[in-house]
Amino acid sequence: MTDAPATRTAPAKITMTGVTKSFGSKHVLRGVDLEVARGESVVVIGGSGTGKSVTLKCILGLITPDAGAISVDGTDALRARGKAREALLDKFGMLFQGGALFDSLLVWENVAFRLMQGARKKPKAEAREIAIEKLRRVGLKPDTADLYPAELSGGMQKRVGLARAIAADPEIIFFDEPTTGLDPIMADVINDLIREIVTEMGATAMTITHDMTSVRRIADRVAMLHDGVIKWCGPVGQIDDSGNPYVHQFVNGLPEGPIEAVR
Amino acid sequence: MQVFSALQGFLAAIGAAVLGLCQATGRLLMFAGMGVAHVVRPPFYPLELWRQFLKIGYFSLPVVGLTALFTGGALALQIFAGGSRLNAESVVPSIVAIGMTRELGPVLGGLMVAGRVSASIAAELGTMRVTEQIDALTTLSTNPLKYLVAPRLLAATVAVPLLVLIGDVIGIMGGFLVGVGRLDFNATTYIRTTEDFLTTGDVTSGLIKAAVFGFIIALMGCYQGYNSARGAQGVGRATTNAVVSASILILASNYLLTEALFPA
C-alpha cells in the first residue's frame, strides 16, 4: 500500500487494521488497512464483488469480521455493546444503494425516522419540520413529504435517502454507490449535493463507487480495493499518475492489466 | 472395501443431516429467545404493535369466522350421522361444542392464520432484508429485532386467542344452525345442552393452544423473512418455508399440548 503523506493532518476518525472476512470458502476481505481522517472524504473504488460493501458493513457492525480491528473515534467498534454501540451508531448516517426507504412509511416519516425514536425523540411537529427542511436541502419540494416512497422516481428516492442520512446531523456519512442506476445528469446532481453537504456539515465521508466521475467530484482521498486488500491509497489528484497498475487499469477502464476482466 | 466406503458415505450423510438439523434448531431457538427478550425490554413501539395487532387480528377475522362457521356445520352433520348408528343423536350439541373449543377452533383457526399471516410477515421482512431496509434500521439506531420482530410476536400471541374465541362462538353457531335447520333439534334445548355441557376448561385449553400457535405463526414468519436469501427467489422460498414450517409446528405442538392439557 503506497500511502501519500499529503492532506492527512487531522486525527483518524475511522481506523481499520487487518480486517478479514470470508463467506464460506470465499475470502472477500484479506486484511484491509484503512484510515479515514476527521472531516475527510474517502472514496473506495474497486470492481464489483471486491468487498467494498462488506467493508462498510463491517464498520457499521452489520457484518462481523473474522479478524482485525476497527475503531471509530478511538472506540473499539467490534466490541461495543448496548449503550456504547448505540452511541457509536448515532454518529453514522448512511445512504444505501437502492435507497432502502421504508415503504410502509411516508417520505417525511422516513426522513425523520431517527428523530422519532430513542434518546433524541422530538415532538412529531418538530420532527416533520426538520424533515421538510432536509428535503428542501436535497432539492425536494415540501409536497413530496406526504407521498409514499413508491410514488417517487429513482432519483427522488436517492434524494430522500440522502435527506434521511443527514437528518440527525451525523458525524460520519457512508454512501453506497450513490450514483448507480441514475442518468448522468441526475448522477451529477447527486455528486454535487454530496460534496456540498459533506463540506458544509464538516462530516467525515466514506463512499464506495465504481463511477469515476463520482470519484473526482466527491473524493479528497481515494483507496483502491482489490483482492480483499487496499492496493493503493492516495489523494484524488494523483489517481491519473498513481504509478499503480491496478489504479491505472481501473481509472482508464482498460481491458488489459493486473485486474482480470471476465468476458 | 467398496461396501465399506459406501457405508461410510451413507453414515456421513446422516451425520451431516443431523448436525444441520441441530444447527437450524439452535438458530431458531436463539432467534426466538432474542425476540422474546425484546418484547419485555424497552424501548417499546406501541404504534407498531397496534398496526400489527390490526393486521394479524382484525383482518384475519373473516377468514377465521368463515372457517369456523362451515366447520361447525359440517361437524354437526357428521356427529349426527355417527351418533345415529348408536341411537345417540342427542350428543350433537355437546360434541360440537367441545370439538370446536378444544380442537377444531384453535387448530383450523391457527392453520388459516398461519397461511395468511406467516406468509405476509415472511414476504414483508424478506423484502425488507433484500432491499437493505433491515440494515437501514440498524444505521438509524433502531434494533430491527425490537422494531420488527417483537411487535409481531406479541401481537400474534395476543390476537390469535381472541380470534379463536370468536371462532369458537361462530363455530358453535354453525352447529346450531345446522342442528336446528337441518336436523330438527329444538333451538332452546340445543343452546341449553351446549351451556350445560361446556366447561371453562374446554375453552381455556383451546385458548392456551391458540396463544402458542400465534407465537409459532409470528416466529416462523419473522425467522424465515429475517434470514431470507437474496432476490425474488429468496423471498419466495422464505414465504413458502414460513407457511409450511408454521403449519407443521402448529400440528405437532397441538399434539403435545393436548397430551399435557388432557393426560389420558
Side-chain angles (χ1 to χ4, degrees), chain B residues 88-159:
Chain B
E89 295 91 340
S90 61
V91 295
V92 169
S94 39
I95 300 201
V96 165
I98 350 183
M100 277 316 294
T101 53
R102 281 191 182 190
E103 201 62 38
L104 293 174
V107 173
L108 290 181
L111 289 175
M112 294 307 286
V113 178
R116 218 187 83 87
V117 171
S118 276
S120 99
I121 292 179
E124 189 181 358
L125 264 57
T127 309
M128 290 187 78
R129 164 65 71 200
V130 170
T131 55
E132 295 187 302
Q133 291 179 49
I134 292 184
D135 287 344
L137 274 175
T138 309
T139 68
L140 293 168
S141 308
T142 302
N143 187 329
L145 285 173
K146 202 176 260 311
Y147 184 77
L148 296 173
V149 176
R152 284 169 173 78
L153 286 178
L154 183 59
T157 311
V158 176

Side-chain angles (χ1 to χ4, degrees), chain A residues 53 57 60-62 85-86 89-90 92-94 96-105 109-110 113-114 117-118 120 164-165 176, chain B residues 42-48 51 55 124 127-129 131-144 146-148 152 230:
Chain A
S53 293
K57 287 184 178 172
L60 288 167
L62 295 171
R85 181 158 158 72
E86 265 173 46
L89 282 171
D90 272 347
F92 287 93
M94 175 152 177
F96 285 86
Q97 191 177 342
L101 301 175
F102 306 125
D103 32 36
S104 58
L105 300 179
E109 291 172 322
N110 263 285
F113 191 87
R114 194 178 215 152
Q117 335 268 345
R120 312 187 200 190
R164 185 176 70 180
D176 184 355
Chain B
F44 304 113
Y45 296 100
L47 190 66
E48 266 308 294
R51 268 189 208 161
K55 226 163 130 181
E124 189 181 358
T127 309
M128 290 187 78
R129 164 65 71 200
T131 55
E132 295 187 302
Q133 291 179 49
I134 292 184
D135 287 344
L137 274 175
T138 309
T139 68
L140 293 168
S141 308
T142 302
N143 187 329
K146 202 176 260 311
Y147 184 77
L148 296 173
R152 284 169 173 78
R230 286 184 167 274

Side-chain angles (χ1 to χ4, degrees), chain A residues 62-103:
Chain A
L62 295 171
I63 293 175
T64 313
D66 299 331
I70 298 172
S71 77
V72 177
D73 279 334
T75 315
D76 185 343
L78 301 178
R79 288 195 181 68
R81 294 276 176 280
K83 289 267 176 262
R85 181 158 158 72
E86 265 173 46
L88 191 75
L89 282 171
D90 272 347
K91 296 179 192 221
F92 287 93
M94 175 152 177
L95 171 60
F96 285 86
Q97 191 177 342
L101 301 175
F102 306 125
D103 32 36

